[in-house]
PDB file of all heavy atoms in Angstrom:
ATOM      1  N   THR A 694     -40.276 -14.351  -7.530  1.00  0.00           N
ATOM      2  CA  THR A 694     -39.311 -13.266  -7.737  1.00  0.00           C
ATOM      3  C   THR A 694     -38.762 -12.764  -6.405  1.00  0.00           C
ATOM      4  O   THR A 694     -37.566 -12.531  -6.259  1.00  0.00           O
ATOM      5  CB  THR A 694     -39.976 -12.095  -8.494  1.00  0.00           C
ATOM      6  OG1 THR A 694     -40.485 -12.577  -9.723  1.00  0.00           O
ATOM      7  CG2 THR A 694     -38.987 -10.979  -8.744  1.00  0.00           C
ATOM      8  N   TYR A 695     -39.658 -12.653  -5.435  1.00  0.00           N
ATOM      9  CA  TYR A 695     -39.230 -12.173  -4.126  1.00  0.00           C
ATOM     10  C   TYR A 695     -38.149 -13.080  -3.543  1.00  0.00           C
ATOM     11  O   TYR A 695     -37.089 -12.633  -3.126  1.00  0.00           O
ATOM     12  CB  TYR A 695     -40.422 -12.102  -3.173  1.00  0.00           C
ATOM     13  CG  TYR A 695     -40.038 -11.651  -1.785  1.00  0.00           C
ATOM     14  CD1 TYR A 695     -39.744 -10.312  -1.527  1.00  0.00           C
ATOM     15  CD2 TYR A 695     -39.948 -12.561  -0.730  1.00  0.00           C
ATOM     16  CE1 TYR A 695     -39.378  -9.897  -0.265  1.00  0.00           C
ATOM     17  CE2 TYR A 695     -39.577 -12.158   0.533  1.00  0.00           C
ATOM     18  CZ  TYR A 695     -39.290 -10.815   0.770  1.00  0.00           C
ATOM     19  OH  TYR A 695     -38.922 -10.408   2.026  1.00  0.00           O
ATOM     20  N   GLU A 696     -38.442 -14.376  -3.583  1.00  0.00           N
ATOM     21  CA  GLU A 696     -37.486 -15.297  -2.963  1.00  0.00           C
ATOM     22  C   GLU A 696     -36.164 -15.343  -3.708  1.00  0.00           C
ATOM     23  O   GLU A 696     -35.092 -15.387  -3.099  1.00  0.00           O
ATOM     24  CB  GLU A 696     -38.114 -16.685  -2.837  1.00  0.00           C
ATOM     25  CG  GLU A 696     -39.003 -16.712  -1.601  1.00  0.00           C
ATOM     26  CD  GLU A 696     -39.904 -17.929  -1.524  1.00  0.00           C
ATOM     27  OE1 GLU A 696     -39.778 -18.820  -2.382  1.00  0.00           O
ATOM     28  OE2 GLU A 696     -40.739 -17.956  -0.593  1.00  0.00           O
ATOM     29  N   LEU A 697     -36.240 -15.295  -5.034  1.00  0.00           N
ATOM     30  CA  LEU A 697     -34.996 -15.247  -5.807  1.00  0.00           C
ATOM     31  C   LEU A 697     -34.202 -13.984  -5.484  1.00  0.00           C
ATOM     32  O   LEU A 697     -32.980 -14.013  -5.370  1.00  0.00           O
ATOM     33  CB  LEU A 697     -35.316 -15.276  -7.299  1.00  0.00           C
ATOM     34  CG  LEU A 697     -35.278 -16.662  -7.931  1.00  0.00           C
ATOM     35  CD1 LEU A 697     -35.934 -16.635  -9.284  1.00  0.00           C
ATOM     36  CD2 LEU A 697     -33.823 -17.124  -8.058  1.00  0.00           C
ATOM     37  N   THR A 698     -34.935 -12.889  -5.341  1.00  0.00           N
ATOM     38  CA  THR A 698     -34.268 -11.621  -5.056  1.00  0.00           C
ATOM     39  C   THR A 698     -33.576 -11.661  -3.698  1.00  0.00           C
ATOM     40  O   THR A 698     -32.431 -11.221  -3.556  1.00  0.00           O
ATOM     41  CB  THR A 698     -35.281 -10.463  -5.110  1.00  0.00           C
ATOM     42  OG1 THR A 698     -35.912 -10.459  -6.388  1.00  0.00           O
ATOM     43  CG2 THR A 698     -34.596  -9.134  -4.872  1.00  0.00           C
ATOM     44  N   ILE A 699     -34.275 -12.222  -2.707  1.00  0.00           N
ATOM     45  CA  ILE A 699     -33.655 -12.381  -1.391  1.00  0.00           C
ATOM     46  C   ILE A 699     -32.389 -13.229  -1.513  1.00  0.00           C
ATOM     47  O   ILE A 699     -31.342 -12.928  -0.937  1.00  0.00           O
ATOM     48  CB  ILE A 699     -34.641 -13.048  -0.395  1.00  0.00           C
ATOM     49  CG1 ILE A 699     -35.880 -12.187  -0.203  1.00  0.00           C
ATOM     50  CG2 ILE A 699     -33.945 -13.345   0.935  1.00  0.00           C
ATOM     51  CD1 ILE A 699     -35.687 -10.981   0.650  1.00  0.00           C
ATOM     52  N   GLY A 700     -32.489 -14.291  -2.307  1.00  0.00           N
ATOM     53  CA  GLY A 700     -31.334 -15.165  -2.519  1.00  0.00           C
ATOM     54  C   GLY A 700     -30.168 -14.409  -3.147  1.00  0.00           C
ATOM     55  O   GLY A 700     -29.024 -14.528  -2.698  1.00  0.00           O
ATOM     56  N   PHE A 701     -30.455 -13.609  -4.154  1.00  0.00           N
ATOM     57  CA  PHE A 701     -29.394 -12.804  -4.781  1.00  0.00           C
ATOM     58  C   PHE A 701     -28.788 -11.847  -3.767  1.00  0.00           C
ATOM     59  O   PHE A 701     -27.578 -11.647  -3.702  1.00  0.00           O
ATOM     60  CB  PHE A 701     -29.954 -11.995  -5.957  1.00  0.00           C
ATOM     61  CG  PHE A 701     -30.277 -12.813  -7.174  1.00  0.00           C
ATOM     62  CD1 PHE A 701     -31.303 -12.435  -8.035  1.00  0.00           C
ATOM     63  CD2 PHE A 701     -29.538 -13.944  -7.491  1.00  0.00           C
ATOM     64  CE1 PHE A 701     -31.598 -13.172  -9.169  1.00  0.00           C
ATOM     65  CE2 PHE A 701     -29.832 -14.690  -8.637  1.00  0.00           C
ATOM     66  CZ  PHE A 701     -30.875 -14.303  -9.464  1.00  0.00           C
ATOM     67  N   PHE A 702     -29.668 -11.244  -2.994  1.00  0.00           N
ATOM     68  CA  PHE A 702     -29.210 -10.273  -1.996  1.00  0.00           C
ATOM     69  C   PHE A 702     -28.245 -10.955  -1.022  1.00  0.00           C
ATOM     70  O   PHE A 702     -27.173 -10.443  -0.714  1.00  0.00           O
ATOM     71  CB  PHE A 702     -30.414  -9.691  -1.232  1.00  0.00           C
ATOM     72  CG  PHE A 702     -30.234  -8.283  -0.771  1.00  0.00           C
ATOM     73  CD1 PHE A 702     -31.241  -7.330  -0.936  1.00  0.00           C
ATOM     74  CD2 PHE A 702     -29.047  -7.876  -0.150  1.00  0.00           C
ATOM     75  CE1 PHE A 702     -31.076  -6.018  -0.518  1.00  0.00           C
ATOM     76  CE2 PHE A 702     -28.874  -6.570   0.274  1.00  0.00           C
ATOM     77  CZ  PHE A 702     -29.888  -5.644   0.095  1.00  0.00           C
ATOM     78  N   GLU A 703     -28.612 -12.143  -0.590  1.00  0.00           N
ATOM     79  CA  GLU A 703     -27.745 -12.877   0.332  1.00  0.00           C
ATOM     80  C   GLU A 703     -26.405 -13.224  -0.311  1.00  0.00           C
ATOM     81  O   GLU A 703     -25.354 -13.109   0.316  1.00  0.00           O
ATOM     82  CB  GLU A 703     -28.451 -14.145   0.805  1.00  0.00           C
ATOM     83  CG  GLU A 703     -29.591 -13.842   1.772  1.00  0.00           C
ATOM     84  CD  GLU A 703     -30.425 -15.074   2.098  1.00  0.00           C
ATOM     85  OE1 GLU A 703     -30.245 -16.119   1.427  1.00  0.00           O
ATOM     86  OE2 GLU A 703     -31.265 -14.975   3.007  1.00  0.00           O
ATOM     87  N   ASP A 704     -26.469 -13.631  -1.563  1.00  0.00           N
ATOM     88  CA  ASP A 704     -25.222 -13.947  -2.268  1.00  0.00           C
ATOM     89  C   ASP A 704     -24.305 -12.725  -2.344  1.00  0.00           C
ATOM     90  O   ASP A 704     -23.096 -12.818  -2.155  1.00  0.00           O
ATOM     91  CB  ASP A 704     -25.533 -14.419  -3.694  1.00  0.00           C
ATOM     92  CG  ASP A 704     -26.074 -15.846  -3.695  1.00  0.00           C
ATOM     93  OD1 ASP A 704     -25.906 -16.531  -2.668  1.00  0.00           O
ATOM     94  OD2 ASP A 704     -26.667 -16.247  -4.707  1.00  0.00           O
ATOM     95  N   VAL A 705     -24.925 -11.591  -2.622  1.00  0.00           N
ATOM     96  CA  VAL A 705     -24.156 -10.356  -2.710  1.00  0.00           C
ATOM     97  C   VAL A 705     -23.552 -10.018  -1.342  1.00  0.00           C
ATOM     98  O   VAL A 705     -22.391  -9.618  -1.241  1.00  0.00           O
ATOM     99  CB  VAL A 705     -25.070  -9.210  -3.215  1.00  0.00           C
ATOM    100  CG1 VAL A 705     -24.423  -7.867  -2.949  1.00  0.00           C
ATOM    101  CG2 VAL A 705     -25.357  -9.377  -4.698  1.00  0.00           C
TER     102      VAL A 705
END
Side-chain angles (χ1 to χ4, degrees):
Chain A
T694 303
Y695 178 75
E696 279 168 5
L697 265 166
T698 303
I699 299 285
F701 287 150
F702 211 135
E703 288 172 350
D704 285 344
V705 164

